[in-house]
């Protein structure tokens, strides 16, 4: 019985840890399925395990002095994927923007800060926003954050307003 319990715990641990694995392959559909040649771009992908990340995100927001409404948005998140791209080019971003437009993503905001552009796009189903894609474009690196959950337009507006205030 003890051996069976240990095997079960080991399998559960491996299952939970698989989401922590960092990969050098893209984890977002456009980059992994498009068949484009990305000319030496280097990808680093992370699937963020929420049971580990949510407490840290909430704590960081509290320490940063954010209001309780913004902290409660974290509860609505169901999945987060992060991908960085080194040596990405403007053509890659242009093709990615076309892909998003063709897949019903709406551009909600572009925030410019210290030479970096932060772009927020959302995918809606009725009044509910099921997917939010945040793209950070700097001179040397691109960062993509794909957030899945169940948000309202008001939730996203509060998040954008909070980012602009900083």
């Amino acid at each position: 019985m003890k051996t069976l319990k240990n095997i079960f715990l080991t399998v559960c641990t491996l299952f939970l840890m698989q989401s922590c694995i960092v990969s050098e392959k893209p984890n977002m559909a456009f980059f992994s399925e498009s068949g484009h040649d990305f000319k030496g771009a280097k990808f680093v992908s992370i699937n963020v395990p929420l049971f580990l990340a949510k407490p840290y995100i909430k704590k960081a927001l509290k320490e940063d002095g954010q209001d309780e409404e913004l902290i409660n948005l974290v509860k609505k998140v169901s999945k987060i994927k992060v991908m960085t791209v080194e040596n990405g080019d403007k053509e890659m971003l242009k093709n990615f923007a076309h892909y998003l437009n063709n897949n019903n993503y709406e551009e909600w905001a572009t925030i410019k800060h210290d030479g970096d552009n932060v772009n927020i796009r959302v995918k809606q189903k009725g009044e509910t926003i099921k997917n939010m894609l945040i793209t950070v474009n700097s001179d040397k690196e691109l960062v993509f954050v794909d957030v899945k959950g169940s948000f309202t337009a008001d939730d996203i507006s509060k998040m954008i307003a909070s980012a602009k205030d900083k």
Side-chain angles (χ1 to χ4, degrees):
M1 183 68 176
K2 188 173 181 178
T3 306
L4 184 61
K5 183 178 175 183
N6 287 339
I7 292 172
F8 178 73
L9 288 174
T10 303
V11 169
C12 287
T13 302
L14 289 174
F15 177 74
L16 291 174
M17 294 305 286
Q18 79 180 12
S19 61
C20 297
I21 296 173
V22 176
S23 171
E24 292 185 6
K25 295 180 181 178
N27 65 352
M28 295 189 185
F30 169 75
F31 298 98
S32 61
E33 299 170 2
S34 69
H36 284 66
D37 179 20
F38 294 115
K39 303 174 192 167
K42 293 175 69 177
F43 296 93
V44 176
S45 302
I46 305 167
N47 287 330
V48 180
L50 288 180
F51 72 94
L52 294 175
K54 279 185 179 183
Y56 289 108
I57 294 170
K58 288 179 185 178
K59 182 180 177 189
L61 289 172
K62 285 179 184 175
E63 289 175 356
D64 204 25
Q66 296 294 335
D67 62 358
E68 198 63 33
E69 287 181 351
L70 192 59
I71 294 168
N72 287 334
L73 280 177
V74 176
K75 293 178 184 175
K76 296 182 176 187
V77 175
S78 62
K79 187 173 186 176
I80 299 175
K81 293 191 285 186
V82 178
M83 184 177 73
T84 63
V85 181
E86 288 183 33
N87 301 325
D89 59 13
K90 292 189 186 289
E91 185 67 25
M92 177 192 296
L93 275 178
K94 183 180 169 187
N95 291 337
F96 184 62
H98 287 297
Y99 169 82
L100 293 176
N101 288 336
N102 292 339
N103 285 283
N104 303 319
Y105 280 86
E106 300 174 35
E107 186 169 342
W108 273 44
T110 299
I111 302 166
K112 295 182 186 233
H113 179 69
D114 292 337
D116 295 343
N117 292 325
V118 179
N119 184 276
I120 300 171
R121 292 179 179 254
V122 299
K123 191 173 192 176
Q124 271 182 263
K125 192 171 196 174
E127 294 296 315
T128 305
I129 297 168
K130 294 291 188 182
N131 199 318
M132 178 173 47
L133 185 65
I134 303 167
T135 306
V136 181
N137 176 9
S138 68
D139 289 337
K140 299 179 182 180
E141 193 172 55
L142 301 168
V143 179
F144 300 94
V145 181
D146 186 5
V147 181
K148 294 186 187 319
S150 184
F151 310 101
T152 65
D154 191 44
D155 294 335
I156 306 300
S157 295
K158 287 176 187 175
M159 185 201 67
I160 292 169
S162 172
K164 285 184 178 180
D165 291 343
K166 302 289 179 197

